[in-house]
Structures are given as C-alpha cells and as structure tokens.
Amino acid sequence: MTLLVPYHQDDFLPDLGAALPPLTPTTTVVARLPDDARGWSRLAPIYRAVADAVQSRVRPGACQTVVSGCCCVSLGTLAGLQRAGVDAGVVWFDAHGDVQTMETSASGYLGGMPLRMMVGYRPELVGVRAIAESRAVLVDARDLDPPEVDYLRGADIRRSTVEELDTAALPDGPLLLHVDCDVVAAEDLPGLRFPVPGGPSAAAVVAALARVLATGRVAALDIACTWDPAAPDPTGARPRLLADLLALASRP
C-alpha cells in the first residue's frame, strides 16, 4: 500500500498524485488545518493523520511507503512506526542536511529541520520520540548551511556519500528510509524547489536505496517529491524516478 500525502508543508498539491505509477492501490491523506495556527501547530494535523495511517498498516516484514511533497511528512511516518512499537533508526538521503533549528535557521523554513527533530530537537512539537543521533545516517547532504556544519561536526550522526553507502554504515534494527528526491543531481531532475548542482545520478540513488532495502529491515520508505508539480518536465524524469523508487519498495 502506498500512502499519498499531497502537501508541501501546508500547501495542498492536488496534482502530486498524477505522477504516481499504478503499481499499488493508493490511500490519500488529507487533513483539516487550523486557520488560527502557524508553523508546526498548523502542520500537526497532517502528521497526526500520517501517523494514524502508518500505525494501522504496520505488518511484520512489510515496508510501508509514504509519498509526499515535503520532508516534514517523514515526522508523521516515524511517529506512526513508533506508535506501532517499531523502534526505527533513520537513513536520510537528501542534498541538504535538514538539521536546522528554529533558532539557527536564517529563513525559518521548517523543511530544513525534520532530521534534527528526530534526533532530539523539540520532538514533542510533532509527536515523535527522539532517537539517538548514532541511530541516524545522513547520506549526501552536499549543501549545508554554516550552523548545520557546526552541529554535524560534533554530532554522532553518521555521514556517507550515496555511492559509498553500504550495510555496515546502517543502524541496527528496523529502519525508516527517507529520500528527498533533490538528492539527485539538479541537472537530471527538473523543477526542484531547492535544486543543488552536482551530486549523484538518479541511477546511483536508486542503487543505493536498493542496497538498504535488500537488508529486509526497512519498515517504511518515505519519499519526498520536492518538486513543483506544475514545473515542466519534458523528458518525464520525475515520474520515471518515482516509478523506480516505488518498484523497489514493492519487491518481495
């Protein structure tokens, strides 16, 4: 089952599902957001709904797949696993670090914070139980702001390139495998909201994700389609990448 969460933060993306190939039945999460709230309080209903859906679908040996337009949705995915009794480590593929805080972020962009919240920065705001830094692996992260560089220098979060990631670098136990599609070289994937030049090819990313999934320990695959659905994609690179990722998750 693929869970579709058509949001980029609180922006509803009705066209995001059009890129989904017909590999599995899809359930769509739509939440009612409070008009009088901002920031994490406004987004919390989305993550609660995702957590409810993930929790209800957790099965031993099965990988739940969540597709959204924003990395923040992964907070709901993790919360759902935890509610179901799955103590997951995190493998985080992203061109960015996503380890900002509200105090360090120059822009205040919430999408730059979810991994930091998973490892202990105000997790109560989004309903997750913090995991140890040593149980998180950050893959690629080729575009870091100075506060992120400072934090990661002293943190126990493991680091890897896409090409060098192997099973020895993974935390023990079940895993939440998150991929922000902007980890792919911006030259190969049009319409990204925060493109980063250089970086791995789509094929290299898919191969690395396959290595993680082959462990049989991935409890959830969280895919953030961080592109503008209305942006031109003349070669069909975006749905092709998404199809490859969903095909990985559907393998027995």
Side-chain angles (χ1 to χ4, degrees):
M1 177 71 72
T2 298
L3 189 68
L4 175 64
V5 190
Y7 289 92
H8 175 256
Q9 296 198 26
D10 60 351
D11 290 334
F12 182 61
L13 306 174
D15 297 330
L16 186 63
L20 281 171
L23 297 178
T24 57
T26 298
T27 297
T28 301
V29 169
V30 178
R32 187 170 184 175
L33 308 185
D35 292 332
D36 59 348
R38 296 291 180 269
W40 294 113
S41 297
R42 178 164 167 78
L43 300 178
I46 300 174
Y47 309 148
R48 284 197 297 267
V50 173
D52 289 344
V54 170
Q55 179 185 11
S56 69
R57 289 164 171 77
V58 169
R59 300 290 185 274
C63 175
Q64 309 304 311
T65 304
V66 180
V67 179
S68 76
C70 181
C71 290
C72 295
V73 169
S74 62
L75 296 163
T77 306
L78 179 61
L81 292 175
Q82 291 176 338
R83 287 188 199 172
V86 179
D87 183 19
V90 175
V91 183
W92 193 272
F93 282 67
D94 203 307
H96 309 90
D98 289 0
V99 290
Q100 291 278 15
T101 69
M102 287 182 281
E103 293 76 25
T104 64
S105 173
S107 65
Y109 178 61
L110 301 182
M113 304 179 194
L115 180 56
R116 185 69 173 271
M117 299 185 85
M118 289 179 175
V119 297
Y121 172 75
R122 305 189 70 179
E124 73 282 355
L125 292 178
V126 289
V128 301
R129 184 175 67 252
I131 67 170
E133 291 176 340
S134 60
R135 299 203 66 224
V137 181
L138 178 57
V139 184
D140 191 64
R142 61 189 184 272
D143 185 16
L144 298 171
D145 290 332
E148 295 181 298
V149 173
D150 291 341
Y151 165 70
L152 289 169
R153 186 180 294 121
D156 288 331
I157 294 175
R158 307 180 203 183
R159 300 284 306 276
S160 177
T161 66
V162 167
E163 293 82 1
E164 293 175 347
L165 182 69
D166 60 23
T167 56
L170 303 178
D172 294 335
L175 301 171
L176 166 58
L177 177 56
H178 169 83
V179 56
D180 182 339
C181 291
D182 71 15
V183 71
V184 174
E187 298 85 350
D188 294 343
L189 200 62
L192 291 168
R193 296 179 186 275
F194 302 103
V196 182
S201 66
V205 170
V206 170
L209 292 168
R211 293 195 294 274
V212 181
L213 284 158
T215 65
R217 296 194 285 116
V218 177
L221 172 62
D222 190 273
I223 305 170
C225 302
T226 49
W227 53 66
D228 178 355
D233 181 14
T235 67
R238 298 194 304 248
R240 187 164 57 251
L241 172 62
L242 187 52
D244 287 344
L245 297 178
L246 292 175
L248 286 178
S250 67
R251 291 178 184 172

